Amino acid sequence: MRNPAIAIVTDSTACIPKNLREKLQIHEVAYYIHRGADVLRDLVSIQREEFLKWLPTAKELPKTANPGPGDYYQAYKDLAESGKKEIISIHMTSKGSGAYQAACVAVKMMRDKLPHVHIEVIDTLNVALCQGWIAIEAARNAAAGIKMDKIKKMIRDMIPVIRMVQTADTLKYLYMGGRIGKAMHLAGSILSLKPIISMKDGEIVALGVARGLNQAYRKIVDAIESTVGSSSKIKVAYMHAGAPAKILKLKDMVETKFECTESFISELSPALMVHTGPGTTGLCYFPVK
């Protein structure tokens, strides 16, 4: 692949498969995970398999933190020193993380030191592979020689139509993270309730609950149909946390119903697994012409 003039930067929470990220030359900045006295870097000093093995034993959930301005400044500086004069930096919703704000501070630092480098910071108003899809499509455009303004327009067009829908295998981690009360946690455990969540205007929204995984997956398929219709073409990325067999079932249900022009499977990063727990499955999709 040609060396693009525009560099694409994103975070480890974009969950882009490593082979795809390397092929498209997407530059990744790691989130932090504070586990007791340990400060871990997402997908750098802690990997998915190790984290998933430890997570069910946790009596208290670790804390996560976005990269700081210095982390982004270093990434931008390294790219500038390699010859890049234009950078697009793509981040999860500013309503759920300080990554976007930290990147904006880093841009101001860059203007003082390297004013010739043009950096655009993007708030995707979304998470996980929705953020990842935007970075992927931006990198493909950059590799094709598309100019900065046109890539920015493509991103602006994607943000309102890209959607995330996922379901947790258990309410335990929502309870441990303080997102639901004890009564809901206990009732959910007894009734095998699966919460279904999405994003709207940059914030997590509940789409309801399902009794069991099969019903949850049917509701996910229905959620896609309600937004794009049954005859639309879509690109879809499936995501999971240690649930490869379950995600294949969801993939089969979706691709039986919709024409998917591109799809792939990836695992959530440890920084996102903290909030979802093992067994989480879902997808990020958008319509294409």
Side-chain angles (χ1 to χ4, degrees):
M1 177 173 283
R2 62 182 286 181
N3 186 24
I6 301 170
I8 305 300
V9 173
T10 193
D11 310 305
S12 56
T13 53
C15 305
I16 302 168
K18 183 179 179 181
N19 62 337
L20 184 57
R21 177 167 47 82
E22 290 179 348
K23 177 184 176 182
L24 295 174
Q25 301 178 54
I26 297 170
H27 305 271
E28 186 175 88
V29 183
Y31 265 60
Y32 291 90
I33 300 171
H34 297 268
R35 187 174 66 182
D38 297 329
V39 180
L40 308 170
R41 296 300 301 277
D42 195 27
L43 298 175
V44 177
S45 57
I46 187 70
Q47 299 298 321
R48 293 174 172 95
E49 185 176 354
E50 177 189 354
F51 193 74
L52 276 169
K53 187 176 181 180
W54 169 83
L55 192 55
T57 71
K59 293 181 172 59
E60 182 179 345
L61 289 182
K63 307 295 184 184
T64 58
N66 57 266
D71 297 308
Y72 292 117
Y73 173 77
Q74 189 61 54
Y76 302 154
K77 181 172 175 288
D78 290 346
L79 287 167
E81 290 175 349
S82 74
K84 301 297 184 186
K85 295 181 180 179
E86 293 184 306
I87 299 169
I88 300 177
S89 197
I90 297 170
H91 307 282
M92 78 154 70
T93 173
S94 62
K95 297 178 182 180
S97 168
Y100 171 78
Q101 291 86 348
C104 289
V105 173
V107 170
K108 293 179 182 177
M109 295 164 64
M110 283 288 292
R111 286 182 189 142
D112 293 336
K113 303 289 186 180
L114 297 163
H116 66 282
V117 181
H118 177 198
I119 306 173
E120 292 285 344
V121 183
I122 304 294
D123 180 0
T124 66
L125 295 175
N126 224 303
V127 295
L129 278 162
C130 291
Q131 173 189 347
W133 262 129
I134 291 171
I136 288 166
E137 295 297 303
R140 287 171 172 166
N141 275 255
I146 306 299
K147 300 299 183 183
M148 173 81 87
D149 286 348
K150 288 190 176 180
I151 297 177
K152 284 167 54 184
K153 182 183 184 307
M154 179 276 299
I155 291 171
R156 286 196 300 269
D157 291 343
M158 279 187 74
I159 287 173
V161 298
I162 197 161
R163 296 282 188 277
M164 178 273 288
V165 192
Q166 72 175 42
T167 184
D169 189 52
T170 171
L171 299 182
K172 172 184 174 182
Y173 296 91
L174 292 171
Y175 170 63
M176 289 178 69
R179 288 170 172 80
I180 61 171
K182 187 174 183 179
M184 179 64 178
H185 172 229
L186 292 175
S189 300
I190 294 169
L191 299 173
S192 188
L193 295 180
K194 309 295 181 187
I196 302 168
I197 63 170
S198 186
M199 298 285 295
K200 184 177 181 180
D201 299 326
E203 297 181 323
I204 294 175
V205 294
L207 298 184
V209 295
R211 292 284 292 272
L213 200 58
N214 286 339
Q215 187 181 92
Y217 285 174
R218 286 195 295 271
K219 288 193 173 186
I220 289 175
V221 170
D222 290 344
I224 299 173
E225 185 172 14
S226 70
T227 56
V228 302
S230 58
S231 59
S232 295
K233 297 177 182 178
I234 61 171
K235 287 189 178 184
V236 56
Y238 304 94
M239 55 196 181
H240 70 97
K246 291 176 182 176
I247 202 65
L248 286 175
K249 183 174 183 178
L250 177 59
K251 182 176 187 291
D252 181 66
M253 290 177 68
V254 170
E255 297 188 11
T256 298
K257 179 79 172 178
F258 303 98
E259 182 178 352
C260 300
T261 63
E262 182 181 0
S263 70
F264 63 86
I265 296 172
S266 184
E267 277 198 277
L268 297 174
S269 75
L272 292 181
M273 290 178 184
V274 169
H275 306 288
T276 67
T280 293
T281 51
L283 48 77
C284 292
Y285 70 95
F286 64 99
V288 294
K289 294 180 181 179

